[in-house]
């Protein structure tokens, strides 16, 4: 990883840092839209990618021929496991997701993360915010407690759904249905990246508003010319 040098304004003055952990997380939690930046209905953070976005591109954006869950093929793929398994990126993403969730759904009492990809993100956001989280299994397990939703909750709880990458929105729509079947209230979802391939519209038809930290078009535009 190349050192990431940042200058961050804080109460103590301007800080120069090369540690993403120390500078980005402690002094810039990225809660919502930064001053001077704009947002749109499907994007809750910066229109122009920031240092965190550039690190996602550097460490997780792959180019080639990929088959997506939706059945479509793509010339690029954002490998969530390449950023969710890095503690510096995971912590920063958890801070950002918690901040946006607090902005769009201030009365939420817990997060919900679909297995497997969003579990680490939900855990990180939970630790950043102090809110508990639940896990949405892909299907009801046939052993033990036979739960589809893992973790304690009460009927009528308002939850904010967290996700890594949204394409067509099919997987997230299934999670919305599972949560509602369990008696939970879901009105908003926040993802790291929206691939802008119909996911926001699919969720809107279910009465769920999708917000993203980044749009795929912005990340792709932010790639360096030499790859």
């Amino acid at each position: 990883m190349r050192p990431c040098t940042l200058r961050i304004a804080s109460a103590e003055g301007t800080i120069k840092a090369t540690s993403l952990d120390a500078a980005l997380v402690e002094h810039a939690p990225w809660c919502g839209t930064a001053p001077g930046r704009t947002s749109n209905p499907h994007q809750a953070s910066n229109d122009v990618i920031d240092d965190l976005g550039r690190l996602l591109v550097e460490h997780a954006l792959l180019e080639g021929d990929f088959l997506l869950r939706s059945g479509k093929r793509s010339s690029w793929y954002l490998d969530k496991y390449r950023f969710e398994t890095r503690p510096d990126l995971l912590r920063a993403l958890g801070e950002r997701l918690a901040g946006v969730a607090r902005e769009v759904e201030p009365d939420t009492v817990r997060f919900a993360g679909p297995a497997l990809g969003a579990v680490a993100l939900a855990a990180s956001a939970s630790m950043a915010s102090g809110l508990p989280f639940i896990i949405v299994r892909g299907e009801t397990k046939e052993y033990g407690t036979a739960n589809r939703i893992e973790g304690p909750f009460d009927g009528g709880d308002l939850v904010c759904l967290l996700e890594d990458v949204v394409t067509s929105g099919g997987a997230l729509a299934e999670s919305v249905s599972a949560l509602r079947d369990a008696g939970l209230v879901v009105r908003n979802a926040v993802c790291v990246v929206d691939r802008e391939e119909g996911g926001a519209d699919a969720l809107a038809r279910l009465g769920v508003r999708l917000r993203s930290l980044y749009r795929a078009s912005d990340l792709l535009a932010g790639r360096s010319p030499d790859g």
Side-chain angles (χ1 to χ4, degrees), residues 80-168:
K80 60 195 173 213
Y81 298 115
R82 293 198 176 201
F83 62 76
E84 291 183 15
T85 54
R86 293 181 57 97
D88 51 353
L89 298 184
L90 180 61
R91 184 179 300 168
L93 288 169
E95 290 278 353
R96 177 79 70 89
L97 290 168
V100 175
R102 186 164 52 245
E103 180 182 283
V104 302
E105 195 70 280
D107 295 325
T108 190
V109 298
R110 64 189 74 248
F111 299 124
L116 174 65
V119 174
L121 293 170
S124 181
S126 175
M127 289 187 287
S129 65
L131 289 177
F133 75 100
I134 52 179
I135 299 169
V136 187
R137 287 180 172 271
E139 57 185 21
T140 302
K141 65 180 184 180
E142 299 179 354
Y143 55 91
T145 57
N147 289 332
R148 175 79 185 273
I149 311 297
E150 298 289 2
F153 62 88
D154 294 317
D157 279 355
L158 177 62
V159 302
C160 186
L161 193 54
L162 305 181
E163 183 60 293
D164 41 50
V165 181
V166 173
T167 304
S168 66

Side-chain angles (χ1 to χ4, degrees), residues 194-210:
D194 180 3
R195 285 187 61 113
E196 304 171 278
E197 297 182 23
D201 291 335
L203 290 171
R205 289 192 288 271
L206 297 176
V208 175
R209 187 180 190 187
L210 177 68

Side-chain angles (χ1 to χ4, degrees), residues 9-24:
S10 73
E12 292 79 16
T14 299
I15 298 170
K16 181 178 180 182
T18 56
S19 167
L20 182 69
D21 243 9
L24 297 192

Side-chain angles (χ1 to χ4, degrees), residues 4 6 24 28 30 32 34 37 45-57 96 213-214 218-219:
C4 178
L6 305 170
L24 297 192
W30 292 315
R37 303 297 179 93
S45 62
N46 303 342
D47 286 330
V48 178
I49 66 169
D50 52 14
D51 291 282
L52 178 58
R54 283 186 283 274
L55 287 170
L56 292 181
V57 170
R96 177 79 70 89
L213 303 186
Y214 301 99
D218 290 334
L219 292 180

